[in-house]
């Protein structure tokens, strides 16, 4: 999915270490703290909000146990603080 940019490994898949380094560089450049693991949680959350089944998410994420997948999507459907903040700003 992510080809290696190095001369030696050009065209080969990016290593785990290389992917982590790339994510750190993007995170630093953007000024936003995130990681590849954070993106897995984001994928699971958005897929669940858009109707993906728990079974499909488990397969996508490569989890052996549904309990592991449940940890990724435990907050889907909660209102959260962003809703409260938006509501408060509209009252001003």
């Amino acid at each position: 999915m992510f080809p290696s940019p190095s001369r030696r490994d050009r065209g080969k898949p990016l290593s785990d270490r290389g992917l982590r380094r790339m994510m750190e560089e993007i995170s630093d450049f953007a000024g936003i703290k995130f990681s590849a693991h954070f993106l897995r949680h984001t994928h699971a959350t958005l897929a669940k909000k858009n109707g993906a089944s728990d079974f499909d998410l488990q397969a996508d994420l490569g989890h052996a146990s549904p309990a592991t997948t449940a940890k990724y999507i435990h907050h889907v459907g909660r209102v959260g603080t962003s809703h409260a903040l938006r509501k408060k700003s509209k009252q001003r």
Side-chain angles (χ1 to χ4, degrees), residues 53-80:
S53 72
D54 292 356
F55 179 78
D56 288 336
L57 281 173
Q58 181 181 344
D60 283 353
L61 297 171
H63 294 154
S65 167
T68 304
T69 305
K71 291 176 186 178
Y72 277 68
I73 57 175
H74 69 278
H75 60 282
V76 174
R78 292 187 185 169
V79 174

mmCIF file of all heavy atoms in Angstrom, residues 53-80:
data_model
loop_
_atom_site.group_PDB
_atom_site.id
_atom_site.type_symbol
_atom_site.label_atom_id
_atom_site.label_comp_id
_atom_site.label_asym_id
_atom_site.label_seq_id
_atom_site.Cartn_x
_atom_site.Cartn_y
_atom_site.Cartn_z
ATOM 1 N N SER A 53 -20.719 -3.926 9.649
ATOM 2 C CA SER A 53 -21.026 -4.875 10.722
ATOM 3 C C SER A 53 -19.780 -5.122 11.564
ATOM 4 O O SER A 53 -18.654 -4.930 11.108
ATOM 5 C CB SER A 53 -21.513 -6.201 10.136
ATOM 6 O OG SER A 53 -20.433 -6.888 9.529
ATOM 7 N N ASP A 54 -20.002 -5.554 12.793
ATOM 8 C CA ASP A 54 -18.879 -5.892 13.670
ATOM 9 C C ASP A 54 -18.040 -7.008 13.058
ATOM 10 O O ASP A 54 -16.814 -7.007 13.160
ATOM 11 C CB ASP A 54 -19.378 -6.305 15.051
ATOM 12 C CG ASP A 54 -19.996 -5.144 15.825
ATOM 13 O OD1 ASP A 54 -19.972 -4.004 15.316
ATOM 14 O OD2 ASP A 54 -20.509 -5.391 16.936
ATOM 15 N N PHE A 55 -18.709 -7.960 12.410
ATOM 16 C CA PHE A 55 -18.005 -9.077 11.771
ATOM 17 C C PHE A 55 -17.074 -8.574 10.667
ATOM 18 O O PHE A 55 -15.918 -8.992 10.578
ATOM 19 C CB PHE A 55 -19.021 -10.069 11.203
ATOM 20 C CG PHE A 55 -18.393 -11.247 10.516
ATOM 21 C CD1 PHE A 55 -17.871 -12.307 11.253
ATOM 22 C CD2 PHE A 55 -18.315 -11.291 9.137
ATOM 23 C CE1 PHE A 55 -17.272 -13.387 10.614
ATOM 24 C CE2 PHE A 55 -17.724 -12.367 8.499
ATOM 25 C CZ PHE A 55 -17.211 -13.422 9.239
ATOM 26 N N ASP A 56 -17.573 -7.653 9.819
ATOM 27 C CA ASP A 56 -16.736 -7.108 8.746
ATOM 28 C C ASP A 56 -15.566 -6.306 9.305
ATOM 29 O O ASP A 56 -14.442 -6.395 8.798
ATOM 30 C CB ASP A 56 -17.559 -6.225 7.808
ATOM 31 C CG ASP A 56 -18.509 -7.026 6.930
ATOM 32 O OD1 ASP A 56 -18.239 -8.219 6.702
ATOM 33 O OD2 ASP A 56 -19.520 -6.444 6.487
ATOM 34 N N LEU A 57 -15.820 -5.535 10.349
ATOM 35 C CA LEU A 57 -14.730 -4.774 10.968
ATOM 36 C C LEU A 57 -13.683 -5.696 11.562
ATOM 37 O O LEU A 57 -12.489 -5.446 11.436
ATOM 38 C CB LEU A 57 -15.280 -3.853 12.061
ATOM 39 C CG LEU A 57 -15.932 -2.578 11.567
ATOM 40 C CD1 LEU A 57 -16.582 -1.838 12.718
ATOM 41 C CD2 LEU A 57 -14.930 -1.700 10.874
ATOM 42 N N GLN A 58 -14.127 -6.760 12.197
ATOM 43 C CA GLN A 58 -13.188 -7.732 12.769
ATOM 44 C C GLN A 58 -12.288 -8.288 11.677
ATOM 45 O O GLN A 58 -11.072 -8.388 11.853
ATOM 46 C CB GLN A 58 -13.951 -8.861 13.471
ATOM 47 C CG GLN A 58 -13.050 -9.896 14.109
ATOM 48 C CD GLN A 58 -13.838 -11.015 14.768
ATOM 49 O OE1 GLN A 58 -15.042 -10.891 15.003
ATOM 50 N NE2 GLN A 58 -13.161 -12.107 15.073
ATOM 51 N N ALA A 59 -12.868 -8.624 10.528
ATOM 52 C CA ALA A 59 -12.082 -9.152 9.403
ATOM 53 C C ALA A 59 -11.143 -8.087 8.845
ATOM 54 O O ALA A 59 -9.963 -8.362 8.593
ATOM 55 C CB ALA A 59 -13.018 -9.662 8.313
ATOM 56 N N ASP A 60 -11.641 -6.858 8.660
ATOM 57 C CA ASP A 60 -10.809 -5.775 8.133
ATOM 58 C C ASP A 60 -9.598 -5.498 9.016
ATOM 59 O O ASP A 60 -8.494 -5.250 8.522
ATOM 60 C CB ASP A 60 -11.606 -4.473 8.019
ATOM 61 C CG ASP A 60 -12.534 -4.428 6.832
ATOM 62 O OD1 ASP A 60 -12.485 -5.356 6.003
ATOM 63 O OD2 ASP A 60 -13.313 -3.463 6.741
ATOM 64 N N LEU A 61 -9.825 -5.511 10.331
ATOM 65 C CA LEU A 61 -8.757 -5.182 11.265
ATOM 66 C C LEU A 61 -7.866 -6.382 11.596
ATOM 67 O O LEU A 61 -6.833 -6.218 12.228
ATOM 68 C CB LEU A 61 -9.351 -4.589 12.548
ATOM 69 C CG LEU A 61 -10.106 -3.271 12.350
ATOM 70 C CD1 LEU A 61 -10.843 -2.889 13.630
ATOM 71 C CD2 LEU A 61 -9.177 -2.161 11.908
ATOM 72 N N GLY A 62 -8.285 -7.574 11.182
ATOM 73 C CA GLY A 62 -7.478 -8.769 11.408
ATOM 74 C C GLY A 62 -7.491 -9.259 12.837
ATOM 75 O O GLY A 62 -6.534 -9.878 13.297
ATOM 76 N N HIS A 63 -8.575 -9.006 13.539
ATOM 77 C CA HIS A 63 -8.671 -9.431 14.935
ATOM 78 C C HIS A 63 -9.202 -10.860 15.024
ATOM 79 O O HIS A 63 -10.133 -11.225 14.327
ATOM 80 C CB HIS A 63 -9.618 -8.519 15.708
ATOM 81 C CG HIS A 63 -9.119 -7.118 15.850
ATOM 82 N ND1 HIS A 63 -9.953 -6.051 16.024
ATOM 83 C CD2 HIS A 63 -7.864 -6.605 15.843
ATOM 84 C CE1 HIS A 63 -9.242 -4.947 16.128
ATOM 85 N NE2 HIS A 63 -7.963 -5.262 16.010
ATOM 86 N N ALA A 64 -8.628 -11.640 15.919
ATOM 87 C CA ALA A 64 -9.098 -13.000 16.151
ATOM 88 C C ALA A 64 -10.344 -13.003 17.029
ATOM 89 O O ALA A 64 -11.183 -13.882 16.916
ATOM 90 C CB ALA A 64 -7.997 -13.826 16.812
ATOM 91 N N SER A 65 -10.449 -11.994 17.884
ATOM 92 C CA SER A 65 -11.543 -11.965 18.854
ATOM 93 C C SER A 65 -12.460 -10.763 18.622
ATOM 94 O O SER A 65 -11.978 -9.641 18.444
ATOM 95 C CB SER A 65 -10.956 -11.872 20.267
ATOM 96 O OG SER A 65 -11.950 -11.540 21.201
ATOM 97 N N PRO A 66 -13.774 -10.978 18.683
ATOM 98 C CA PRO A 66 -14.704 -9.843 18.593
ATOM 99 C C PRO A 66 -14.517 -8.850 19.739
ATOM 100 O O PRO A 66 -14.790 -7.669 19.586
ATOM 101 C CB PRO A 66 -16.086 -10.493 18.674
ATOM 102 C CG PRO A 66 -15.883 -11.928 18.383
ATOM 103 C CD PRO A 66 -14.468 -12.265 18.760
ATOM 104 N N ALA A 67 -14.017 -9.316 20.874
ATOM 105 C CA ALA A 67 -13.794 -8.433 22.019
ATOM 106 C C ALA A 67 -12.729 -7.379 21.700
ATOM 107 O O ALA A 67 -12.839 -6.234 22.142
ATOM 108 C CB ALA A 67 -13.381 -9.244 23.241
ATOM 109 N N THR A 68 -11.741 -7.760 20.936
ATOM 110 C CA THR A 68 -10.699 -6.803 20.541
ATOM 111 C C THR A 68 -11.296 -5.741 19.640
ATOM 112 O O THR A 68 -11.039 -4.544 19.805
ATOM 113 C CB THR A 68 -9.538 -7.520 19.829
ATOM 114 O OG1 THR A 68 -9.042 -8.551 20.682
ATOM 115 C CG2 THR A 68 -8.426 -6.554 19.477
ATOM 116 N N THR A 69 -12.111 -6.151 18.687
ATOM 117 C CA THR A 69 -12.754 -5.205 17.773
ATOM 118 C C THR A 69 -13.665 -4.266 18.549
ATOM 119 O O THR A 69 -13.717 -3.070 18.258
ATOM 120 C CB THR A 69 -13.551 -5.950 16.690
ATOM 121 O OG1 THR A 69 -12.670 -6.868 16.027
ATOM 122 C CG2 THR A 69 -14.138 -4.988 15.679
ATOM 123 N N ALA A 70 -14.353 -4.780 19.557
ATOM 124 C CA ALA A 70 -15.254 -3.961 20.361
ATOM 125 C C ALA A 70 -14.507 -2.821 21.041
ATOM 126 O O ALA A 70 -15.059 -1.732 21.223
ATOM 127 C CB ALA A 70 -15.973 -4.822 21.396
ATOM 128 N N LYS A 71 -13.244 -3.023 21.386
ATOM 129 C CA LYS A 71 -12.449 -1.962 22.007
ATOM 130 C C LYS A 71 -12.231 -0.807 21.031
ATOM 131 O O LYS A 71 -12.092 0.339 21.440
ATOM 132 C CB LYS A 71 -11.101 -2.501 22.473
ATOM 133 C CG LYS A 71 -11.207 -3.454 23.638
ATOM 134 C CD LYS A 71 -9.857 -4.015 23.982
ATOM 135 C CE LYS A 71 -9.969 -5.081 25.053
ATOM 136 N NZ LYS A 71 -8.671 -5.666 25.371
ATOM 137 N N TYR A 72 -12.191 -1.097 19.758
ATOM 138 C CA TYR A 72 -11.970 -0.069 18.756
ATOM 139 C C TYR A 72 -13.214 0.774 18.522
ATOM 140 O O TYR A 72 -13.111 1.925 18.124
ATOM 141 C CB TYR A 72 -11.567 -0.702 17.421
ATOM 142 C CG TYR A 72 -10.108 -1.032 17.311
ATOM 143 C CD1 TYR A 72 -9.539 -2.028 18.072
ATOM 144 C CD2 TYR A 72 -9.299 -0.346 16.422
ATOM 145 C CE1 TYR A 72 -8.206 -2.338 17.969
ATOM 146 C CE2 TYR A 72 -7.955 -0.644 16.302
ATOM 147 C CZ TYR A 72 -7.412 -1.638 17.082
ATOM 148 O OH TYR A 72 -6.083 -1.938 16.978
ATOM 149 N N ILE A 73 -14.374 0.206 18.720
ATOM 150 C CA ILE A 73 -15.618 0.899 18.360
ATOM 151 C C ILE A 73 -16.500 1.180 19.572
ATOM 152 O O ILE A 73 -17.655 1.527 19.425
ATOM 153 C CB ILE A 73 -16.411 0.085 17.308
ATOM 154 C CG1 ILE A 73 -16.711 -1.316 17.799
ATOM 155 C CG2 ILE A 73 -15.660 0.051 15.990
ATOM 156 C CD1 ILE A 73 -17.589 -2.138 16.882
ATOM 157 N N HIS A 74 -15.946 1.124 20.772
ATOM 158 C CA HIS A 74 -16.749 1.274 21.983
ATOM 159 C C HIS A 74 -17.418 2.629 22.114
ATOM 160 O O HIS A 74 -18.447 2.757 22.758
ATOM 161 C CB HIS A 74 -15.898 0.993 23.222
ATOM 162 C CG HIS A 74 -14.852 2.021 23.477
ATOM 163 N ND1 HIS A 74 -13.645 2.000 22.813
ATOM 164 C CD2 HIS A 74 -14.832 3.111 24.271
ATOM 165 C CE1 HIS A 74 -12.928 3.036 23.214
ATOM 166 N NE2 HIS A 74 -13.619 3.712 24.096
ATOM 167 N N HIS A 75 -16.893 3.654 21.493
ATOM 168 C CA HIS A 75 -17.445 4.991 21.666
ATOM 169 C C HIS A 75 -18.383 5.415 20.534
ATOM 170 O O HIS A 75 -18.922 6.509 20.562
ATOM 171 C CB HIS A 75 -16.307 6.009 21.805
ATOM 172 C CG HIS A 75 -15.413 6.050 20.623
ATOM 173 N ND1 HIS A 75 -14.441 5.108 20.395
ATOM 174 C CD2 HIS A 75 -15.367 6.904 19.583
ATOM 175 C CE1 HIS A 75 -13.830 5.396 19.269
ATOM 176 N NE2 HIS A 75 -14.354 6.476 18.754
ATOM 177 N N VAL A 76 -18.585 4.582 19.541
ATOM 178 C CA VAL A 76 -19.471 4.941 18.428
ATOM 179 C C VAL A 76 -20.893 5.081 18.946
ATOM 180 O O VAL A 76 -21.396 4.232 19.664
ATOM 181 C CB VAL A 76 -19.410 3.873 17.307
ATOM 182 C CG1 VAL A 76 -20.434 4.173 16.227
ATOM 183 C CG2 VAL A 76 -18.019 3.817 16.719
ATOM 184 N N GLY A 77 -21.526 6.178 18.594
ATOM 185 C CA GLY A 77 -22.896 6.412 19.011
ATOM 186 C C GLY A 77 -23.033 7.295 20.234
ATOM 187 O O GLY A 77 -24.106 7.801 20.511
ATOM 188 N N ARG A 78 -21.954 7.526 20.940
ATOM 189 C CA ARG A 78 -22.013 8.441 22.076
ATOM 190 C C ARG A 78 -21.980 9.871 21.558
ATOM 191 O O ARG A 78 -21.360 10.164 20.552
ATOM 192 C CB ARG A 78 -20.834 8.205 23.017
ATOM 193 C CG ARG A 78 -20.908 6.879 23.731
ATOM 194 C CD ARG A 78 -19.833 6.786 24.759
ATOM 195 N NE ARG A 78 -19.840 5.468 25.367
ATOM 196 C CZ ARG A 78 -18.894 5.019 26.150
ATOM 197 N NH1 ARG A 78 -17.856 5.765 26.435
ATOM 198 N NH2 ARG A 78 -18.968 3.820 26.666
ATOM 199 N N VAL A 79 -22.616 10.751 22.266
ATOM 200 C CA VAL A 79 -22.687 12.143 21.840
ATOM 201 C C VAL A 79 -21.324 12.810 21.971
ATOM 202 O O VAL A 79 -20.863 13.474 21.063
ATOM 203 C CB VAL A 79 -23.759 12.906 22.659
ATOM 204 C CG1 VAL A 79 -23.735 14.376 22.312
ATOM 205 C CG2 VAL A 79 -25.127 12.302 22.408
ATOM 206 N N GLY A 80 -20.660 12.661 23.082
ATOM 207 C CA GLY A 80 -19.333 13.224 23.257
ATOM 208 C C GLY A 80 -19.337 14.717 23.529
ATOM 209 O O GLY A 80 -20.364 15.387 23.505
#
